[in-house]
Amino acid sequence: MAGTLYLVPTPIGNLGDLSQRIIDILSEADFIAAEDTRVSLKLLNHLGLKKPLVSYYRHNTETSGPQILARLLSGESCALVTDAGTPAISDPGEELVAQCAEAGVTVCAIPGPCALVTALAVSGLPTGRFTFEGFLAMNRKNRAAHLESLRGERRTMIFYEAPHKLCATLDDLVHYFGPERRISLCRELSKLHEQVLRMTLGEAADYYRQQPPKGEFVLVVEGAPEPEPEEISWEDAVERVLRLRADGLAMKAAARQVSEETGLSKNELYARATKSGG
Ligand code: SAM
């Protein structure tokens, strides 16, 4: 029977975030696949564990992936770890998970440290709907296309960024989203110098122009504002409800849709449209 691939998150700064389950999986797995074996060796030493390590990083996935898969298929279990945080999230792992899923190997993701979720939770911005955008490309054309596609994005957006690229990224965010948009800059999460700055994009760009950014950052950016409701008379709004009704929508659904489009009361639209013979 095939073994299991465990996706094992590791602390993003605070070793106290190692859960008992994380430690158990690391000690029970037959071998560990690591993004950087030197980094993971330090963690294993801290836990007093000795385990066979293989390397699995961005530039060897094509050779290392099939070797790990073959071992899993032969019945061994593997714990995949990266330098920090959750594997497969802007880190190696995505392809290996897809290969395991394709080959029928069980994949088990252990919940634990993840920079994007920690940042979103502490951001103070709406968390109900969000989109994770990872790192912006360095290539100017791809970067511009990515940001252009987000101009009208209403959900809260999360970006990863390296400190030496932060100022350029903030300037780009101001350009595409405007200086008044709110941002939470979540720095050094779970570490000694953890800091969350909540300000506008314009203020953030000015702030970091004056002091060079240091440490690791997650940027949580407010989504685009709701469009202003259309200015429309009751007469026109009722006519629109009746037109939607004639197109086959139920009266209630038609009133709800027009209410969302115009900001007018749904019940009043329903009542007026019904009275007008809908
Ligand atoms: N897979 C990891 C995760 O889910 O947490 C993310 C790996 S990605 C290569 C590294 C990026 O995560 C950093 O550039 C930074 O944007 C963010 N990050 C990681 N640790 C962080 C921390 N302690 N505080 C703030 N951001 C962090």
Side-chain angles (χ1 to χ4, degrees), residues 67-89:
Q67 289 165 10
I68 295 170
L69 184 59
R71 290 179 71 170
L72 285 161
L73 286 169
S74 75
E76 288 187 84
S77 63
C78 171
L80 176 66
V81 294
T82 58
D83 293 350
T86 298
I89 306 298

mmCIF file with all atom_site columns, all heavy atoms in Angstrom, residues 67-89:
data_model
loop_
_atom_site.group_PDB
_atom_site.id
_atom_site.type_symbol
_atom_site.label_atom_id
_atom_site.label_alt_id
_atom_site.label_comp_id
_atom_site.label_asym_id
_atom_site.label_entity_id
_atom_site.label_seq_id
_atom_site.pdbx_PDB_ins_code
_atom_site.Cartn_x
_atom_site.Cartn_y
_atom_site.Cartn_z
_atom_site.occupancy
_atom_site.B_iso_or_equiv
_atom_site.pdbx_formal_charge
_atom_site.auth_seq_id
_atom_site.auth_comp_id
_atom_site.auth_asym_id
_atom_site.auth_atom_id
_atom_site.pdbx_PDB_model_num
ATOM 1   N N   . GLN A 1 67 ? 11.241 10.985 -7.731 1.00 0.00 ? 67 GLN A N   1
ATOM 2   C CA  . GLN A 1 67 ? 11.919 10.088 -6.772 1.00 0.00 ? 67 GLN A CA  1
ATOM 3   C C   . GLN A 1 67 ? 11.114 9.982  -5.468 1.00 0.00 ? 67 GLN A C   1
ATOM 4   O O   . GLN A 1 67 ? 10.955 8.891  -4.903 1.00 0.00 ? 67 GLN A O   1
ATOM 5   C CB  . GLN A 1 67 ? 13.330 10.603 -6.465 1.00 0.00 ? 67 GLN A CB  1
ATOM 6   C CG  . GLN A 1 67 ? 14.282 10.426 -7.644 1.00 0.00 ? 67 GLN A CG  1
ATOM 7   C CD  . GLN A 1 67 ? 15.568 11.245 -7.496 1.00 0.00 ? 67 GLN A CD  1
ATOM 8   O OE1 . GLN A 1 67 ? 15.841 11.807 -6.438 1.00 0.00 ? 67 GLN A OE1 1
ATOM 9   N NE2 . GLN A 1 67 ? 16.346 11.314 -8.559 1.00 0.00 ? 67 GLN A NE2 1
ATOM 10  N N   . ILE A 1 68 ? 10.592 11.137 -5.027 1.00 0.00 ? 68 ILE A N   1
ATOM 11  C CA  . ILE A 1 68 ? 9.785  11.122 -3.796 1.00 0.00 ? 68 ILE A CA  1
ATOM 12  C C   . ILE A 1 68 ? 8.507  10.326 -4.039 1.00 0.00 ? 68 ILE A C   1
ATOM 13  O O   . ILE A 1 68 ? 8.091  9.497  -3.207 1.00 0.00 ? 68 ILE A O   1
ATOM 14  C CB  . ILE A 1 68 ? 9.463  12.574 -3.345 1.00 0.00 ? 68 ILE A CB  1
ATOM 15  C CG1 . ILE A 1 68 ? 10.761 13.291 -2.950 1.00 0.00 ? 68 ILE A CG1 1
ATOM 16  C CG2 . ILE A 1 68 ? 8.454  12.600 -2.201 1.00 0.00 ? 68 ILE A CG2 1
ATOM 17  C CD1 . ILE A 1 68 ? 10.610 14.779 -2.723 1.00 0.00 ? 68 ILE A CD1 1
ATOM 18  N N   . LEU A 1 69 ? 7.896  10.568 -5.208 1.00 0.00 ? 69 LEU A N   1
ATOM 19  C CA  . LEU A 1 69 ? 6.648  9.853  -5.540 1.00 0.00 ? 69 LEU A CA  1
ATOM 20  C C   . LEU A 1 69 ? 6.879  8.339  -5.565 1.00 0.00 ? 69 LEU A C   1
ATOM 21  O O   . LEU A 1 69 ? 6.062  7.563  -5.039 1.00 0.00 ? 69 LEU A O   1
ATOM 22  C CB  . LEU A 1 69 ? 6.123  10.345 -6.895 1.00 0.00 ? 69 LEU A CB  1
ATOM 23  C CG  . LEU A 1 69 ? 4.786  9.762  -7.339 1.00 0.00 ? 69 LEU A CG  1
ATOM 24  C CD1 . LEU A 1 69 ? 3.681  10.070 -6.327 1.00 0.00 ? 69 LEU A CD1 1
ATOM 25  C CD2 . LEU A 1 69 ? 4.386  10.307 -8.712 1.00 0.00 ? 69 LEU A CD2 1
ATOM 26  N N   . ALA A 1 70 ? 8.017  7.917  -6.138 1.00 0.00 ? 70 ALA A N   1
ATOM 27  C CA  . ALA A 1 70 ? 8.302  6.474  -6.216 1.00 0.00 ? 70 ALA A CA  1
ATOM 28  C C   . ALA A 1 70 ? 8.413  5.888  -4.804 1.00 0.00 ? 70 ALA A C   1
ATOM 29  O O   . ALA A 1 70 ? 7.908  4.792  -4.532 1.00 0.00 ? 70 ALA A O   1
ATOM 30  C CB  . ALA A 1 70 ? 9.597  6.254  -7.001 1.00 0.00 ? 70 ALA A CB  1
ATOM 31  N N   . ARG A 1 71 ? 9.063  6.619  -3.902 1.00 0.00 ? 71 ARG A N   1
ATOM 32  C CA  . ARG A 1 71 ? 9.189  6.121  -2.530 1.00 0.00 ? 71 ARG A CA  1
ATOM 33  C C   . ARG A 1 71 ? 7.827  6.043  -1.840 1.00 0.00 ? 71 ARG A C   1
ATOM 34  O O   . ARG A 1 71 ? 7.534  5.100  -1.100 1.00 0.00 ? 71 ARG A O   1
ATOM 35  C CB  . ARG A 1 71 ? 10.154 7.011  -1.732 1.00 0.00 ? 71 ARG A CB  1
ATOM 36  C CG  . ARG A 1 71 ? 11.600 6.857  -2.199 1.00 0.00 ? 71 ARG A CG  1
ATOM 37  C CD  . ARG A 1 71 ? 12.560 7.750  -1.422 1.00 0.00 ? 71 ARG A CD  1
ATOM 38  N NE  . ARG A 1 71 ? 12.757 7.298  -0.042 1.00 0.00 ? 71 ARG A NE  1
ATOM 39  C CZ  . ARG A 1 71 ? 13.684 7.787  0.768  1.00 0.00 ? 71 ARG A CZ  1
ATOM 40  N NH1 . ARG A 1 71 ? 14.516 8.729  0.328  1.00 0.00 ? 71 ARG A NH1 1
ATOM 41  N NH2 . ARG A 1 71 ? 13.803 7.340  1.998  1.00 0.00 ? 71 ARG A NH2 1
ATOM 42  N N   . LEU A 1 72 ? 6.982  7.063  -2.110 1.00 0.00 ? 72 LEU A N   1
ATOM 43  C CA  . LEU A 1 72 ? 5.625  7.039  -1.528 1.00 0.00 ? 72 LEU A CA  1
ATOM 44  C C   . LEU A 1 72 ? 4.851  5.835  -2.061 1.00 0.00 ? 72 LEU A C   1
ATOM 45  O O   . LEU A 1 72 ? 4.180  5.124  -1.299 1.00 0.00 ? 72 LEU A O   1
ATOM 46  C CB  . LEU A 1 72 ? 4.887  8.339  -1.890 1.00 0.00 ? 72 LEU A CB  1
ATOM 47  C CG  . LEU A 1 72 ? 5.324  9.587  -1.101 1.00 0.00 ? 72 LEU A CG  1
ATOM 48  C CD1 . LEU A 1 72 ? 4.911  10.859 -1.821 1.00 0.00 ? 72 LEU A CD1 1
ATOM 49  C CD2 . LEU A 1 72 ? 4.710  9.568  0.305  1.00 0.00 ? 72 LEU A CD2 1
ATOM 50  N N   . LEU A 1 73 ? 4.975  5.594  -3.366 1.00 0.00 ? 73 LEU A N   1
ATOM 51  C CA  . LEU A 1 73 ? 4.241  4.471  -3.969 1.00 0.00 ? 73 LEU A CA  1
ATOM 52  C C   . LEU A 1 73 ? 4.737  3.134  -3.432 1.00 0.00 ? 73 LEU A C   1
ATOM 53  O O   . LEU A 1 73 ? 3.990  2.152  -3.390 1.00 0.00 ? 73 LEU A O   1
ATOM 54  C CB  . LEU A 1 73 ? 4.371  4.517  -5.503 1.00 0.00 ? 73 LEU A CB  1
ATOM 55  C CG  . LEU A 1 73 ? 3.527  5.613  -6.176 1.00 0.00 ? 73 LEU A CG  1
ATOM 56  C CD1 . LEU A 1 73 ? 3.914  5.785  -7.648 1.00 0.00 ? 73 LEU A CD1 1
ATOM 57  C CD2 . LEU A 1 73 ? 2.036  5.302  -6.056 1.00 0.00 ? 73 LEU A CD2 1
ATOM 58  N N   . SER A 1 74 ? 6.012  3.104  -3.001 1.00 0.00 ? 74 SER A N   1
ATOM 59  C CA  . SER A 1 74 ? 6.529  1.835  -2.471 1.00 0.00 ? 74 SER A CA  1
ATOM 60  C C   . SER A 1 74 ? 6.157  1.652  -0.988 1.00 0.00 ? 74 SER A C   1
ATOM 61  O O   . SER A 1 74 ? 6.550  0.672  -0.359 1.00 0.00 ? 74 SER A O   1
ATOM 62  C CB  . SER A 1 74 ? 8.051  1.773  -2.651 1.00 0.00 ? 74 SER A CB  1
ATOM 63  O OG  . SER A 1 74 ? 8.653  2.608  -1.687 1.00 0.00 ? 74 SER A OG  1
ATOM 64  N N   . GLY A 1 75 ? 5.436  2.647  -0.422 1.00 0.00 ? 75 GLY A N   1
ATOM 65  C CA  . GLY A 1 75 ? 4.907  2.448  0.926  1.00 0.00 ? 75 GLY A CA  1
ATOM 66  C C   . GLY A 1 75 ? 5.522  3.332  2.004  1.00 0.00 ? 75 GLY A C   1
ATOM 67  O O   . GLY A 1 75 ? 5.076  3.320  3.145  1.00 0.00 ? 75 GLY A O   1
ATOM 68  N N   . GLU A 1 76 ? 6.554  4.124  1.631  1.00 0.00 ? 76 GLU A N   1
ATOM 69  C CA  . GLU A 1 76 ? 7.160  5.004  2.650  1.00 0.00 ? 76 GLU A CA  1
ATOM 70  C C   . GLU A 1 76 ? 6.277  6.237  2.861  1.00 0.00 ? 76 GLU A C   1
ATOM 71  O O   . GLU A 1 76 ? 5.536  6.650  1.957  1.00 0.00 ? 76 GLU A O   1
ATOM 72  C CB  . GLU A 1 76 ? 8.547  5.460  2.182  1.00 0.00 ? 76 GLU A CB  1
ATOM 73  C CG  . GLU A 1 76 ? 9.586  4.366  2.228  1.00 0.00 ? 76 GLU A CG  1
ATOM 74  C CD  . GLU A 1 76 ? 10.969 4.926  1.921  1.00 0.00 ? 76 GLU A CD  1
ATOM 75  O OE1 . GLU A 1 76 ? 11.615 5.434  2.842  1.00 0.00 ? 76 GLU A OE1 1
ATOM 76  O OE2 . GLU A 1 76 ? 11.382 4.855  0.749  1.00 0.00 ? 76 GLU A OE2 1
ATOM 77  N N   . SER A 1 77 ? 6.395  6.848  4.043  1.00 0.00 ? 77 SER A N   1
ATOM 78  C CA  . SER A 1 77 ? 5.686  8.108  4.265  1.00 0.00 ? 77 SER A CA  1
ATOM 79  C C   . SER A 1 77 ? 6.691  9.251  4.266  1.00 0.00 ? 77 SER A C   1
ATOM 80  O O   . SER A 1 77 ? 7.839  9.084  4.692  1.00 0.00 ? 77 SER A O   1
ATOM 81  C CB  . SER A 1 77 ? 4.925  8.071  5.593  1.00 0.00 ? 77 SER A CB  1
ATOM 82  O OG  . SER A 1 77 ? 5.845  7.934  6.653  1.00 0.00 ? 77 SER A OG  1
ATOM 83  N N   . CYS A 1 78 ? 6.236  10.408 3.771  1.00 0.00 ? 78 CYS A N   1
ATOM 84  C CA  . CYS A 1 78 ? 7.149  11.549 3.615  1.00 0.00 ? 78 CYS A CA  1
ATOM 85  C C   . CYS A 1 78 ? 6.542  12.789 4.257  1.00 0.00 ? 78 CYS A C   1
ATOM 86  O O   . CYS A 1 78 ? 5.355  13.073 4.070  1.00 0.00 ? 78 CYS A O   1
ATOM 87  C CB  . CYS A 1 78 ? 7.367  11.789 2.114  1.00 0.00 ? 78 CYS A CB  1
ATOM 88  S SG  . CYS A 1 78 ? 8.251  13.323 1.750  1.00 0.00 ? 78 CYS A SG  1
ATOM 89  N N   . ALA A 1 79 ? 7.357  13.537 5.011  1.00 0.00 ? 79 ALA A N   1
ATOM 90  C CA  . ALA A 1 79 ? 6.924  14.838 5.531  1.00 0.00 ? 79 ALA A CA  1
ATOM 91  C C   . ALA A 1 79 ? 7.600  15.904 4.678  1.00 0.00 ? 79 ALA A C   1
ATOM 92  O O   . ALA A 1 79 ? 8.831  15.948 4.605  1.00 0.00 ? 79 ALA A O   1
ATOM 93  C CB  . ALA A 1 79 ? 7.334  14.997 6.993  1.00 0.00 ? 79 ALA A CB  1
ATOM 94  N N   . LEU A 1 80 ? 6.796  16.729 4.020  1.00 0.00 ? 80 LEU A N   1
ATOM 95  C CA  . LEU A 1 80 ? 7.368  17.810 3.209  1.00 0.00 ? 80 LEU A CA  1
ATOM 96  C C   . LEU A 1 80 ? 7.397  19.086 4.043  1.00 0.00 ? 80 LEU A C   1
ATOM 97  O O   . LEU A 1 80 ? 6.366  19.496 4.593  1.00 0.00 ? 80 LEU A O   1
ATOM 98  C CB  . LEU A 1 80 ? 6.517  18.025 1.948  1.00 0.00 ? 80 LEU A CB  1
ATOM 99  C CG  . LEU A 1 80 ? 6.959  19.188 1.054  1.00 0.00 ? 80 LEU A CG  1
ATOM 100 C CD1 . LEU A 1 80 ? 8.320  18.926 0.423  1.00 0.00 ? 80 LEU A CD1 1
ATOM 101 C CD2 . LEU A 1 80 ? 5.923  19.458 -0.042 1.00 0.00 ? 80 LEU A CD2 1
ATOM 102 N N   . VAL A 1 81 ? 8.572  19.703 4.145  1.00 0.00 ? 81 VAL A N   1
ATOM 103 C CA  . VAL A 1 81 ? 8.692  20.975 4.881  1.00 0.00 ? 81 VAL A CA  1
ATOM 104 C C   . VAL A 1 81 ? 9.391  22.005 3.995  1.00 0.00 ? 81 VAL A C   1
ATOM 105 O O   . VAL A 1 81 ? 10.159 21.645 3.104  1.00 0.00 ? 81 VAL A O   1
ATOM 106 C CB  . VAL A 1 81 ? 9.506  20.826 6.202  1.00 0.00 ? 81 VAL A CB  1
ATOM 107 C CG1 . VAL A 1 81 ? 8.792  19.964 7.211  1.00 0.00 ? 81 VAL A CG1 1
ATOM 108 C CG2 . VAL A 1 81 ? 10.907 20.285 5.939  1.00 0.00 ? 81 VAL A CG2 1
ATOM 109 N N   . THR A 1 82 ? 9.099  23.270 4.266  1.00 0.00 ? 82 THR A N   1
ATOM 110 C CA  . THR A 1 82 ? 9.828  24.334 3.576  1.00 0.00 ? 82 THR A CA  1
ATOM 111 C C   . THR A 1 82 ? 10.588 25.129 4.635  1.00 0.00 ? 82 THR A C   1
ATOM 112 O O   . THR A 1 82 ? 10.599 24.757 5.805  1.00 0.00 ? 82 THR A O   1
ATOM 113 C CB  . THR A 1 82 ? 8.858  25.227 2.780  1.00 0.00 ? 82 THR A CB  1
ATOM 114 O OG1 . THR A 1 82 ? 7.905  25.772 3.684  1.00 0.00 ? 82 THR A OG1 1
ATOM 115 C CG2 . THR A 1 82 ? 8.146  24.442 1.689  1.00 0.00 ? 82 THR A CG2 1
ATOM 116 N N   . ASP A 1 83 ? 11.198 26.244 4.226  1.00 0.00 ? 83 ASP A N   1
ATOM 117 C CA  . ASP A 1 83 ? 12.017 26.981 5.199  1.00 0.00 ? 83 ASP A CA  1
ATOM 118 C C   . ASP A 1 83 ? 11.161 27.550 6.331  1.00 0.00 ? 83 ASP A C   1
ATOM 119 O O   . ASP A 1 83 ? 11.599 27.622 7.470  1.00 0.00 ? 83 ASP A O   1
ATOM 120 C CB  . ASP A 1 83 ? 12.779 28.109 4.506  1.00 0.00 ? 83 ASP A CB  1
ATOM 121 C CG  . ASP A 1 83 ? 13.829 27.553 3.551  1.00 0.00 ? 83 ASP A CG  1
ATOM 122 O OD1 . ASP A 1 83 ? 14.070 26.327 3.594  1.00 0.00 ? 83 ASP A OD1 1
ATOM 123 O OD2 . ASP A 1 83 ? 14.399 28.334 2.778  1.00 0.00 ? 83 ASP A OD2 1
ATOM 124 N N   . ALA A 1 84 ? 9.957  27.993 5.988  1.00 0.00 ? 84 ALA A N   1
ATOM 125 C CA  . ALA A 1 84 ? 9.042  28.524 7.007  1.00 0.00 ? 84 ALA A CA  1
ATOM 126 C C   . ALA A 1 84 ? 7.643  28.570 6.439  1.00 0.00 ? 84 ALA A C   1
ATOM 127 O O   . ALA A 1 84 ? 7.466  28.868 5.258  1.00 0.00 ? 84 ALA A O   1
ATOM 128 C CB  . ALA A 1 84 ? 9.474  29.939 7.413  1.00 0.00 ? 84 ALA A CB  1
ATOM 129 N N   . GLY A 1 85 ? 6.668  28.285 7.261  1.00 0.00 ? 85 GLY A N   1
ATOM 130 C CA  . GLY A 1 85 ? 5.275  28.380 6.831  1.00 0.00 ? 85 GLY A CA  1
ATOM 131 C C   . GLY A 1 85 ? 4.763  27.108 6.179  1.00 0.00 ? 85 GLY A C   1
ATOM 132 O O   . GLY A 1 85 ? 5.342  26.025 6.326  1.00 0.00 ? 85 GLY A O   1
ATOM 133 N N   . THR A 1 86 ? 3.675  27.259 5.451  1.00 0.00 ? 86 THR A N   1
ATOM 134 C CA  . THR A 1 86 ? 2.958  26.112 4.899  1.00 0.00 ? 86 THR A CA  1
ATOM 135 C C   . THR A 1 86 ? 3.469  25.735 3.512  1.00 0.00 ? 86 THR A C   1
ATOM 136 O O   . THR A 1 86 ? 3.480  26.589 2.623  1.00 0.00 ? 86 THR A O   1
ATOM 137 C CB  . THR A 1 86 ? 1.445  26.445 4.838  1.00 0.00 ? 86 THR A CB  1
ATOM 138 O OG1 . THR A 1 86 ? 0.989  26.672 6.169  1.00 0.00 ? 86 THR A OG1 1
ATOM 139 C CG2 . THR A 1 86 ? 0.651  25.311 4.228  1.00 0.00 ? 86 THR A CG2 1
ATOM 140 N N   . PRO A 1 87 ? 3.894  24.471 3.321  1.00 0.00 ? 87 PRO A N   1
ATOM 141 C CA  . PRO A 1 87 ? 4.335  24.041 1.997  1.00 0.00 ? 87 PRO A CA  1
ATOM 142 C C   . PRO A 1 87 ? 3.226  24.245 0.964  1.00 0.00 ? 87 PRO A C   1
ATOM 143 O O   . PRO A 1 87 ? 2.043  24.216 1.304  1.00 0.00 ? 87 PRO A O   1
ATOM 144 C CB  . PRO A 1 87 ? 4.622  22.545 2.178  1.00 0.00 ? 87 PRO A CB  1
ATOM 145 C CG  . PRO A 1 87 ? 4.847  22.367 3.640  1.00 0.00 ? 87 PRO A CG  1
ATOM 146 C CD  . PRO A 1 87 ? 3.984  23.393 4.316  1.00 0.00 ? 87 PRO A CD  1
ATOM 147 N N   . ALA A 1 88 ? 3.636  24.473 -0.265 1.00 0.00 ? 88 ALA A N   1
ATOM 148 C CA  . ALA A 1 88 ? 2.724  24.615 -1.417 1.00 0.00 ? 88 ALA A CA  1
ATOM 149 C C   . ALA A 1 88 ? 2.087  26.000 -1.521 1.00 0.00 ? 88 ALA A C   1
ATOM 150 O O   . ALA A 1 88 ? 1.369  26.267 -2.469 1.00 0.00 ? 88 ALA A O   1
ATOM 151 C CB  . ALA A 1 88 ? 1.626  23.539 -1.440 1.00 0.00 ? 88 ALA A CB  1
ATOM 152 N N   . ILE A 1 89 ? 2.328  26.874 -0.528 1.00 0.00 ? 89 ILE A N   1
ATOM 153 C CA  . ILE A 1 89 ? 1.788  28.233 -0.600 1.00 0.00 ? 89 ILE A CA  1
ATOM 154 C C   . ILE A 1 89 ? 2.953  29.179 -0.869 1.00 0.00 ? 89 ILE A C   1
ATOM 155 O O   . ILE A 1 89 ? 3.736  29.480 0.039  1.00 0.00 ? 89 ILE A O   1
ATOM 156 C CB  . ILE A 1 89 ? 1.080  28.636 0.726  1.00 0.00 ? 89 ILE A CB  1
ATOM 157 C CG1 . ILE A 1 89 ? 0.005  27.616 1.114  1.00 0.00 ? 89 ILE A CG1 1
ATOM 158 C CG2 . ILE A 1 89 ? 0.481  30.038 0.619  1.00 0.00 ? 89 ILE A CG2 1
ATOM 159 C CD1 . ILE A 1 89 ? -1.139 27.468 0.128  1.00 0.00 ? 89 ILE A CD1 1
#
